[in-house]
Amino acid sequence: MDYKEALNFIHSRPRLRKKPSLDRMTTFLSRLGNPQNDVTGIHIAGTNGKGSTVAFLERLLEKHDLKVGTFTSPFIVRFNERIQINRQPISDQDLVELVERIQPIVEQMDAEAIGGPLEFEIDTAMMFLYFKEHPVDVALIEVGIGGLFDSTNVFTPILSVITNIGWDHMEILGDTIPKIAEQKAGIIKPTVPVVTGSTDPEALKVIQKVASDSGSTLKTFKADFSISKSTDQQITFKNYDVIWDGLEASLFGEYQLTNLAVALESLTMVSSILKLRLDVNRIKSAVKTTKWAGRMEMVSSHPLVYLDGAHNLPGIEALHQTIQTNWGHQKVYIITAVLDDKLYQPMLNNLVELPNVELTLTSFTGPSKRQAVTPDEINSQLLKEVEYISNWRDAIQLAGSKMQAGDVLIITGSLYFISEVRPFFVK
């Protein structure tokens, strides 16, 4: 088997089944020797901000001389990015070897009543095997969808993190914020401490109840820890034990402050668990050097161009705030492609509400059977406010021809779209 064949095997697996269950995943891992039991990890769920929180926390821990594994999704450039140790992706050879070991078990389960593993279940099993056989001090394991029935929810972490909770994947997670929160809070384990950046009252009520019922200490944003930024862009983090000021973040966007706060609070919790002595200078260095591709990533300075994977309504609302805060008096061109299983109508409405924004809808090659929204799916009133250019390269070229000094171009929407566009700017 070569690398391409290994990826084809992974991507050929079904993505979803109707009945949510962890039975298939636990059976799969059992036949692989339960590698998840040998991994010390932090479990991270949330509607948005998981990847950025992982990026901050990985850098913070690495700066304190820890060997840190990360498991994230989706990838931006290559599949291997999903499984990394100290920001070094799994090698092609290691990936192929893992698939070769897993394939016979998958085929065996395909022939049984329980059914064979899904695509993300295979990704997750590979990750646990890799971190067992390439031991790390701590693995940062990001949930795929939800939490309660996510394939990553098969191990006991040292800390559970819930970034925020908003509208996304309602067909799977539920049609109310409390239902979605219940799924996210499903990662909370008995007596394992929890950190959350969620401030939605309904969501927070659910998280508090699950944490209380589990005997888990809960630290909540604004109540137990906070973050602020001064006019000179200096950041201050506070909790009951520390005050760290003079921080500077390289990740742009107002919403990144909350993600940073969650990561710093998580760091203080982990330092107690792992007996880690924290150094404020290392913390400052980590925060300043954290990068995360495709999240308010500046890919051109002349003209000013950002890529931002605001792939759902909470992401677009955060982008809206960032534009208001930073470019309220500048012309902002936005090119977006949104998958049609998202809340695309309110997402697009949210952007056209900004008086200084010129919005262009485009398309791209969506993953599997999922498609980007087309003008036929948008109501006539909104359609008057949006231009449609099917080829995103043409849309970029047109926006570039219109831009003047001080204007901003933001390319946003599905992370799969960002993955397709990014090589156009980053060679």
Side-chain angles (χ1 to χ4, degrees):
M1 179 181 290
D2 60 21
Y3 178 74
K4 184 177 180 180
E5 290 170 333
L7 287 188
N8 286 341
F9 173 76
I10 294 169
H11 295 320
S12 69
R13 302 300 304 174
R15 293 183 65 251
L16 294 170
R17 288 206 173 96
K18 290 182 180 180
K19 184 180 178 181
S21 171
L22 288 177
D23 293 344
R24 184 174 52 253
M25 189 65 198
T26 55
T27 299
F28 187 28
L29 288 173
S30 174
R31 296 182 188 185
L32 291 169
N34 285 316
Q36 75 279 9
N37 295 339
D38 295 304
V39 176
T40 298
I42 298 171
H43 206 186
I44 299 132
T47 303
N48 290 83
K50 298 186 295 294
S52 298
T53 302
V54 167
F56 278 124
L57 193 49
E58 188 278 336
R59 201 78 178 109
L60 288 161
L61 293 169
E62 186 186 351
K63 281 289 185 180
H64 285 86
D65 301 322
L66 294 189
K67 192 174 183 180
V68 186
T70 56
F71 179 61
T72 58
S73 60
F75 62 90
I76 297 296
V77 181
R78 296 188 83 225
F79 178 89
N80 305 47
E81 297 166 22
R82 302 184 73 163
I83 302 171
Q84 301 191 39
I85 295 178
N86 283 6
R87 293 173 292 128
Q88 292 300 310
I90 183 174
S91 70
D92 292 358
Q93 181 180 346
D94 284 334
L95 188 146
V96 169
E97 289 176 357
L98 286 173
V99 171
E100 287 177 337
R101 289 166 55 189
I102 284 172
Q103 186 176 18
I105 297 172
V106 171
E107 292 173 349
Q108 182 185 60
M109 292 179 64
D110 277 340
E112 298 173 0
I114 196 168
L118 304 174
E119 180 178 350
F120 191 68
E121 291 171 339
I122 288 175
D123 299 341
T124 304
M126 288 169 54
M127 173 270 297
F128 281 126
L129 276 172
Y130 188 69
F131 291 151
K132 175 184 178 179
E133 295 169 4
H134 300 77
V136 295
D137 295 309
V138 62
L140 309 179
I141 298 172
E142 181 187 316
V143 165
I145 295 177
L148 181 62
F149 294 111
D150 188 76
S151 63
T152 60
N153 200 27
V154 289
F155 79 113
T156 300
I158 59 173
L159 177 70
S160 301
V161 178
I162 302 171
T163 56
N164 75 338
I165 291 172
W167 298 104
D168 200 15
H169 299 295
M170 287 87 72
E171 73 284 0
I172 299 172
L173 304 180
D175 57 1
T176 68
I177 288 295
K179 287 179 181 178
I180 295 171
E182 188 175 357
Q183 293 293 318
K184 306 287 186 185
I187 70 166
I188 297 173
K189 304 294 190 301
T191 72
V192 174
V194 186
V195 173
T196 185
S198 178
T199 55
D200 183 284
E202 289 185 302
L204 203 51
K205 186 176 179 180
V206 173
I207 295 170
Q208 288 168 334
K209 183 179 187 308
V210 175
S212 176
D213 291 346
S214 301
S216 301
T217 301
L218 173 65
K219 300 293 184 180
T220 62
F221 182 49
K222 295 187 178 179
D224 299 299
F225 61 97
S226 64
I227 199 163
S228 60
K229 184 165 66 173
S230 63
T231 54
D232 62 356
Q233 304 302 302
Q234 296 293 297
I235 296 168
T236 299
F237 170 83
K238 297 179 182 179
N239 65 15
Y240 294 121
D241 301 312
V242 301
I243 298 177
W244 292 324
D245 54 18
L247 305 176
E248 298 177 52
S250 59
L251 287 187
F252 188 70
E254 298 309 300
Y255 60 92
Q256 295 292 10
L257 278 180
T258 303
N259 298 331
L260 174 57
V262 170
L264 289 169
E265 181 65 18
S266 298
L267 176 69
T268 66
M269 301 286 283
V270 170
S271 68
S272 176
I273 296 165
L274 298 181
K275 311 300 180 187
L276 190 65
R277 185 171 181 176
L278 299 180
D279 182 303
V280 68
N281 290 321
R282 295 188 184 200
I283 291 169
K284 288 181 177 181
S285 176
V287 172
K288 193 171 184 178
T289 57
T290 298
K291 299 183 184 302
W292 191 235
R295 279 71 167 186
M296 284 309 296
E297 178 187 15
M298 187 176 73
V299 291
S300 171
S301 54
H302 302 286
L304 192 57
V305 181
Y306 286 88
L307 302 181
D308 188 41
H311 60 285
N312 53 26
L313 183 56
I316 290 294
E317 290 171 341
L319 175 59
H320 181 118
Q321 181 186 359
T322 296
I323 292 170
Q324 281 187 315
T325 302
N326 296 280
W327 303 302
H329 304 289
Q330 294 164 256
K331 183 72 173 181
V332 179
Y333 294 88
I334 297 180
I335 298 170
T336 186
V338 182
L339 291 174
D340 63 7
D341 58 359
K342 301 292 182 179
L343 292 174
Y344 55 83
Q345 197 77 33
M347 289 169 70
L348 297 175
N349 275 324
N350 195 282
L351 294 175
V352 298
E353 286 172 2
L354 292 163
N356 59 325
V357 161
E358 182 174 312
L359 181 62
T360 299
L361 185 66
T362 189
S363 62
F364 71 108
T365 307
S368 60
K369 297 180 180 179
R370 301 164 76 193
Q371 299 297 319
V373 172
T374 65
D376 296 339
E377 300 172 84
I378 299 171
N379 71 46
S380 57
Q381 185 60 40
L382 178 59
L383 202 54
K384 295 176 184 177
E385 308 291 331
V386 178
E387 184 172 7
Y388 180 72
I389 300 176
S390 61
N391 187 304
W392 59 260
R393 291 174 179 82
D394 293 340
I396 291 172
Q397 185 176 14
L398 181 60
S401 70
K402 294 179 180 179
M403 291 177 71
Q404 300 179 5
D407 292 350
V408 183
L409 171 60
I410 301 173
I411 301 168
T412 189
S414 168
L415 281 165
Y416 296 102
F417 173 50
I418 298 302
S419 176
E420 188 171 305
V421 172
R422 192 172 184 271
F424 182 81
F425 292 96
V426 182
K427 307 300 181 184

